[in-house]
Structure formats: structure tokens, C-alpha cells
Amino acid sequence: MSDGATKFYTWEEIRKHNSDKDCWVVLYDNVLDVTKFLNHHPGGLDPINDLGGYNITNSFESIGHSEYAVNKSKEYIIGKLDPTSQEPKVVRKPVAQNQSVQDFKTFTVKTDPLAGIKKAIIAIIVILLAAYFYS
Ligand code: HEM
């Protein structure tokens, strides 16, 4: 862009930059190389890195980023999205497949089948004690 001409990128090119060593994203119609920002992002590395090669506009807006964040993102613009390029079907990249995610997926609320009986026994004991002390 040294000659002042805007550089345009296709989705095919953008999708290739999808790792924490080389991370491009699309914000509105701008293409950003955020590789150097990942480790400085106040929201952590993963939220942006997981979207490397994708359009982050909805996620960026839903967090309610400040004006400061919007201005900060300008530092990483490398060009514009080629308006003739069709966005390929979004194939969700698997987010962190760590143990906590696995635990979350298999988590079930444990109910105590004896909870009702326990409560009834406690109530009976309280009634018996009250009857004993007030008799
Ligand atoms: C170029 C892209 C981005 C830039 C420059 C950026 C910048 C920032 C900045 C400056 C903050 C501090 C709070 C603020 O000023 O709003 C922040 C917080 C945060 N960002 Fe981003 N962000 C980007 C993309 C994203 C994306 C794509 C996500 C989610 C998918 C995300 C999730 C978060 C979260 C969760 C916080 C922490 C909010 C909090 O703790 O209150 N960010 N970001």
C-alpha cells in the first residue's frame, strides 16, 4: 500500500491466516492482521485467535467494545475485503477442546432422590423435639 492504493483480499486468502502465529480477521469491511495484538488483547488471546480467518464483526460488537478498542483496531488494518469475493460457508472451528469444555458438555445437574425423605425426617424430628420440650 506504499503507493497509496488500497489492497484488497479475497476470503480464500484471508481464511489461510488462522493461527496464533499468523492471524487475520475481517472487521466490518476491513482486513486486519492482528497477530501482534493477540497477546496484548485485554480479553485474552483465544477470543480473537479462535476466529482467525473469519469475520469478527458480530463478536466484536456483541462484546460492546469501547471507542478505544475501535480506534486500536485501526492499527492492524492491512487492506479491504474484496467486494467480489463470496464468503465461504462458515465452518465453525472447534473452540478449545480442553478438559473444562468436555466437562461442561457432559455436566448434568445432580438431584438427590432422597432429598424429600430427608426433609420429612428432619421435620418429624423437629416436631418430636418441640413436642418433648413443650409437654
Ligand atoms: C481487532 C479486534 C479487537 C480489538 C482491537 C479488541 C480490543 C479490546 C480492548 C481494547 C478491550 C478492553 C475493553 C475495551 O476497551 O472495550 C477488549 C476487551 C475484550 N475483548 Fe476485544 N478486541 C478485539 C476483538 C475481540 C473479539 C473478536 C472478541 C470476542 C470474540 C473480543 C472479546 C473481548 C473480551 C471478552 C474482552 C474483555 C471484556 C471485559 O473484560 O470487560 N475482542 N478488547
Side-chain angles (χ1 to χ4, degrees), residues 32 34 37 41-43 47-48 51 56 59-60 63 65-66 68-69 73:
L32 283 67
V34 287
F37 178 63
H41 180 221
I48 311 181
L51 291 168
I56 64 165
S59 308
F60 185 90
I63 297 296
H65 281 92
S66 65
Y68 169 77
S73 66

Side-chain angles (χ1 to χ4, degrees), residues 1-7:
M1 293 214 288
S2 53
D3 60 354
T6 305
K7 182 108 173 79

Side-chain angles (χ1 to χ4, degrees), residues 124-135:
I124 292 168
I125 292 170
V126 171
I127 292 167
L128 288 176
L129 284 173
Y132 175 77
F133 283 114
Y134 290 105
S135 61

Side-chain angles (χ1 to χ4, degrees), residues 52-103:
Y54 284 82
N55 191 329
I56 64 165
T57 310
N58 288 341
S59 308
F60 185 90
E61 286 187 344
S62 65
I63 297 296
H65 281 92
S66 65
E67 206 177 321
Y68 169 77
V70 177
N71 285 326
K72 185 80 187 155
S73 66
K74 287 182 191 158
E75 292 175 24
Y76 304 99
I77 296 175
I78 54 170
K80 289 260 170 209
L81 179 62
D82 179 342
T84 64
S85 173
Q86 291 289 317
E87 184 171 6
K89 196 171 178 294
V90 173
V91 181
R92 273 270 154 252
K93 288 207 296 180
V95 285
Q97 292 297 304
N98 57 28
Q99 195 53 49
S100 356
V101 174
Q102 295 309 319
D103 290 349

